[in-house]
């Protein structure tokens, strides 16, 4: 919890190598506990402190809760149902799905605590690293830049969860904006307006992009491109279309990213940190530490070694165009035989609550692992989380360009994504049997709907659908599940946070 951790000791973590000849950004178990007052002495301390910030970006639960992005970005939307053994399995997740979450629910609380613990640790780095004289100026700037990126990342997610308004006027209730490592006695912080939070996110990401290079010192660490891309998303959420289009075009023109020709490979371990990876959170199955994700075991079939949560809906299945290869790479149908990257095949049955979803029931193939690669423990799933892909940048650019009355620029970026999906190397003449033909309409309203649809199928089951529906003003698509306008755009502030002070008030509808 944020307030409790303000007076706790700073956990120290270190870098290690995952593959021979390929450094990967990982965390090991704490190598000792040191107070912030005696910790920041040299470059090694600074790096270990930064690693502890990344530790909270992993979104793995220290209490073995399901990962919060899966719950709020996917299960809360029309793309997925809860699944599990039965309807009562993980009842608080079911309440999120049915839009009646409680302020005392563990996932509401753990998400808040994760965001604000990450912010606290980032603030420690930002406040202390500039004073370490034994480091070079460039080393200090790099580490502080990464910490500012992560502080913006945590504030951004917390704002989407707890503080956005009901429209894009930036007049939502906001969230606590914390930019210094406050002592425990000062942790009762009131909300800052939505507009002011956005402004701080913008400032942090501008600073981060200036400080960080185009490539990361280690895989899994943020880069200049990641900071710019997160700024693009922030502009899109605020409908600042001119800024979004300009900045997205800057990323596209940099030539640093490209679309992996094989869509399905992107989500396998073979595709980790591939050419289209802008920001990716690393997970690994280590026998000595909990650096994996619980998302793997939660989303694999109950027929094998998983728990069968986060099941694609029939509506999502039907949303894919005819013969779109992305559907087969995204959704497992019951009884489907899948060939793993090692060439072994496995027939996957859908059992439990997922089996009641649609005619056959479905599972999320983007998190599937064959039995031969079952993790060594429940919290050790090796699947990385692709937070920002180059396809995001292209479709944000398409959306912004369309809103700016620039349909040709919008079509160029949109059709690049569709061309990769049909695997024709961007050559429309190789279009196989009319699969995913290029879009040609210049009608703004029609093109808007097409771009939104493309975002849905391209990023299906990647934990973003709910927040996109909210920002697009299309929450009516969730009305049949109980969504209430003016209430469910936000989730409740955790009750334990309200109980510890008087500065915060509850979000409307959850009092």
């Amino acid at each position: 919890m944020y307030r409790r951790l303000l007076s706790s000791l700073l956990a120290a973590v270190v870098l290690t190598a995952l593959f021979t000849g390929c450094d990967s950004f990982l965390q090991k178990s704490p190598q000792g506990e040191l107070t912030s007052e005696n910790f920041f002495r040299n470059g090694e301390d600074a790096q270990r402190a930064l690693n502890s910030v990344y530790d909270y970006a992993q979104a793995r639960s220290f209490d073995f809760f399901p990962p919060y992005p899966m719950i709020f970005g996917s299960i809360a939307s029309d793309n997925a149902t809860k699944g599990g053994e039965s309807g009562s399995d993980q009842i608080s997740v079911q309440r999120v799905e049915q839009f009646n979450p409680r302020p005392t629910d563990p996932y509401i609380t753990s998400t808040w605590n994760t965001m604000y613990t990450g912010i606290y640790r980032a603030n420690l780095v930002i406040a202390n690293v500039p004073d370490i004289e034994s480091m070079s100026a460039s080393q200090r700037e790099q580490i502080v830049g990464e910490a500012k990126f992560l502080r913006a990342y945590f504030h951004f997610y917390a704002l989407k969860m707890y503080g956005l308004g009901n429209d894009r006027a930036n007049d939502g209730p906001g969230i606590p904006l914390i930019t210094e490592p406050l002592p425990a006695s000062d942790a009762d912080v009131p909300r800052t307006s939505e507009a002011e939070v956005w402004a701080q996110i913008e400032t942090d990401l501008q600073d981060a992009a200036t400080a960080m290079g185009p490539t990361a010192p280690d895989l899994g660490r943020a880069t200049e491109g990641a900071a710019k891309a997160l700024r693009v998303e922030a502009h899109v959420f605020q409908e600042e279309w001119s800024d979004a289009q300009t900045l997205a075009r800057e990323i596209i023109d940099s030539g640093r990213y490209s679309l992996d020709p094989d869509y399905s490979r992107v989500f396998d371990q073979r595709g980790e940190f591939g050419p289209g990876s802008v920001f990716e959170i690393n997970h690994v199955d280590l026998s000595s530490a909990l650096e994996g994700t619980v998302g793997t075991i939660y989303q694999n079939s109950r027929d094998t070694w998983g728990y069968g949560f986060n099941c694609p809906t029939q509506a999502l299945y039907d949303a894919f165009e005819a013969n779109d290869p992305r559907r087969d790479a995204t959704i497992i149908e019951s009884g489907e035989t899948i060939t793993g990257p090692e060439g072994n095949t496995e027939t996957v049955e859908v059992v439990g609550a997922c089996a009641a979803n649609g005619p056959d029931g479905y599972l999320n193939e983007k998190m599937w692992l064959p039995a031969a690669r079952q993790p060594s423990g429940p919290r050790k799933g090796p699947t990385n989380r692709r937070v920002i892909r180059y396809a995001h940048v292209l479709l944000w650019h398409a959306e912004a360009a369309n809103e700016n009355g620039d349909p040709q620029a919008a079509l160029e970026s949109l059709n690049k994504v569709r061309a990769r999906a049909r695997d024709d190397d961007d050559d429309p003449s190789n279009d196989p049997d009319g699969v995913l033909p290029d879009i040609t309409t210049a009608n703004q309203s029609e093109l808007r709907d097409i771009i939104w649809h493309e975002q849905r199928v391209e990023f299906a089951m990647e934990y973003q659908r709910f927040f996109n529906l909210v920002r697009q003003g299309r929450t009516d698509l969730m009305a049949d599940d109980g969504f209430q306008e003016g209430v469910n755009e936000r989730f409740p502030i955790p009750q334990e946070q309200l109980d510890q002070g008087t500065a915060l008030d509850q979000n409307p509808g959850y009092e």
Side-chain angles (χ1 to χ4, degrees):
M1 187 186 78
Y2 172 65
R3 187 171 185 181
R4 183 173 67 243
L5 287 173
L6 282 175
S7 58
S8 71
L9 301 179
L10 182 66
V13 289
V14 299
L15 292 173
T16 189
L18 177 59
F19 301 111
T20 302
C22 180
D23 290 337
S24 194
F25 182 72
L26 308 172
Q27 300 96 322
K28 286 185 177 178
S29 299
Q31 303 298 301
E33 293 183 331
L34 300 166
T35 65
S36 58
E37 287 76 16
N38 67 9
F39 182 74
F40 292 93
R41 300 162 302 182
N42 52 45
E44 182 181 359
D45 285 352
Q47 186 63 65
R48 292 164 71 193
L50 177 64
N51 295 351
S52 78
V53 188
Y54 278 101
D55 200 43
Y56 274 78
Q58 281 189 320
R60 60 182 175 83
S61 171
F62 296 93
D63 299 315
F64 197 41
F65 295 144
Y68 65 81
M70 176 191 83
I71 298 171
F72 301 109
S74 188
I75 294 174
S77 78
D78 58 345
N79 270 5
T81 59
K82 177 182 72 68
E85 182 179 15
S86 64
S88 61
D89 189 2
Q90 295 287 346
I91 191 66
S92 57
V93 178
Q94 184 179 56
R95 285 198 288 268
V96 171
E97 180 181 32
Q98 296 173 346
F99 294 108
N100 61 350
R102 299 175 182 174
T104 54
D105 282 345
Y107 311 113
I108 300 295
T109 302
S110 65
T111 303
W112 177 282
N113 293 343
T114 297
M115 296 302 103
Y116 280 100
T117 301
I119 290 168
Y120 166 64
R121 292 186 174 195
N123 285 334
L124 282 174
V125 172
I126 294 166
N128 289 281
V129 168
D131 295 329
I132 302 178
E133 297 180 354
S134 61
M135 299 175 65
S136 69
S138 61
Q139 289 174 322
R140 292 194 297 265
E141 290 171 2
Q142 172 74 29
I143 287 179
V144 171
E146 290 181 60
K148 286 188 174 182
F149 169 83
L150 291 167
R151 183 169 71 181
Y153 172 80
F154 291 127
H155 274 126
F156 195 163
Y157 200 93
L159 185 61
K160 290 190 294 184
M161 280 283 299
Y162 305 104
L164 287 182
N166 297 334
D167 54 37
R168 295 281 53 79
N170 288 354
D171 59 355
I175 56 170
L177 176 65
I178 302 176
T179 58
E180 57 183 278
L182 297 174
S185 59
D186 295 333
D188 188 21
V189 179
R191 295 179 193 259
T192 302
S193 71
E194 179 184 344
E196 290 177 271
V197 177
W198 282 126
Q200 184 62 51
I201 290 171
E202 173 77 6
T203 297
D204 276 350
L205 292 175
Q206 286 179 322
D207 291 348
T210 300
M212 298 186 297
T215 59
D218 301 282
L219 293 177
R221 292 169 65 177
T223 62
E224 173 192 3
K228 289 181 176 180
L230 194 57
R231 277 182 65 200
V232 173
E233 185 179 13
H235 288 312
V236 167
F237 263 79
Q238 298 171 84
E239 296 186 346
E240 296 173 344
W241 301 119
S242 179
D243 289 337
Q245 182 179 356
T246 299
L247 190 55
R249 171 52 68 182
E250 188 177 320
I251 298 170
I252 294 167
D253 290 344
S254 73
R256 293 173 189 152
Y257 306 101
S258 62
L259 296 170
D260 190 318
D262 185 348
Y263 179 83
S264 62
R265 198 182 93 96
V266 171
F267 310 100
D268 189 81
Q269 287 178 278
R270 300 168 299 166
E272 291 178 353
F273 304 112
S277 176
V278 180
F279 183 56
E280 185 168 330
I281 294 175
N282 197 28
H283 290 288
V284 66
D285 184 352
L286 290 177
S287 60
S288 59
L290 296 177
E291 299 308 324
T293 173
V294 300
T296 307
I297 192 168
Y298 268 95
Q299 296 180 71
N300 267 251
S301 174
R302 297 186 69 87
D303 186 56
T304 54
W305 48 273
Y307 299 161
F309 283 88
N310 196 31
C311 307
T313 61
Q314 188 65 40
L316 174 61
Y317 184 93
D318 294 339
F320 288 89
E321 294 172 62
N323 299 317
D324 186 339
R326 290 173 295 189
R327 181 166 66 186
D328 187 55
T330 302
I331 297 176
I332 297 175
E333 301 182 52
S334 189
E336 180 180 351
T337 299
I338 303 177
T339 301
E342 299 86 358
N344 58 305
T345 61
E346 181 174 302
T347 300
V348 181
E349 298 288 347
V350 179
V351 298
C354 287
N357 175 39
D360 299 305
Y362 306 113
L363 293 169
N364 180 10
E365 188 161 345
K366 290 179 179 178
M367 288 296 291
W368 175 79
L369 285 178
R373 287 197 286 158
Q374 178 179 349
S376 61
R379 287 183 276 188
K380 296 185 178 183
T383 306
N384 285 5
R385 184 158 68 93
R386 283 66 167 174
V387 180
I388 304 176
R389 302 197 273 116
Y390 183 49
H392 283 105
V393 177
L394 289 170
L395 291 181
W396 288 330
H397 177 260
E399 185 175 1
N402 182 56
E403 298 301 333
N404 288 329
D406 189 357
Q408 294 311 308
L411 289 169
E412 178 185 6
S413 291
L414 169 65
N415 286 323
K416 284 181 180 179
V417 175
R418 291 174 65 82
R420 185 275 298 274
R422 66 177 175 255
D423 194 22
D424 70 355
D425 298 323
D426 295 333
D427 183 357
S429 66
N430 293 333
D431 182 357
D433 300 323
V435 172
L436 298 176
D438 278 359
I439 303 300
T440 59
T441 182
N443 179 279
Q444 187 180 58
S445 179
E446 291 178 0
L447 190 51
R448 180 185 298 120
D449 288 341
I450 290 169
I451 292 168
W452 284 347
H453 174 270
E454 196 69 23
Q455 290 171 343
R456 181 183 192 183
V457 295
E458 173 71 22
F459 309 119
M461 305 306 292
E462 295 180 49
Y463 318 145
Q464 300 163 21
R465 174 69 170 173
F466 172 80
F467 299 112
N468 278 334
L469 289 177
V470 170
R471 77 166 177 84
Q472 293 162 359
R474 297 195 295 157
T475 55
D476 58 296
L477 296 177
M478 300 180 285
D480 289 345
D481 295 321
F483 187 97
Q484 302 176 65
E485 296 286 344
V487 175
N488 296 126
E489 293 88 353
R490 298 174 292 271
F491 293 94
I493 303 295
Q495 188 61 45
E496 68 174 33
Q497 194 68 28
L498 299 176
D499 291 343
Q500 292 178 13
T502 60
L504 283 174
D505 56 345
Q506 185 56 272
N507 280 329
Y510 297 110
E511 298 89 347

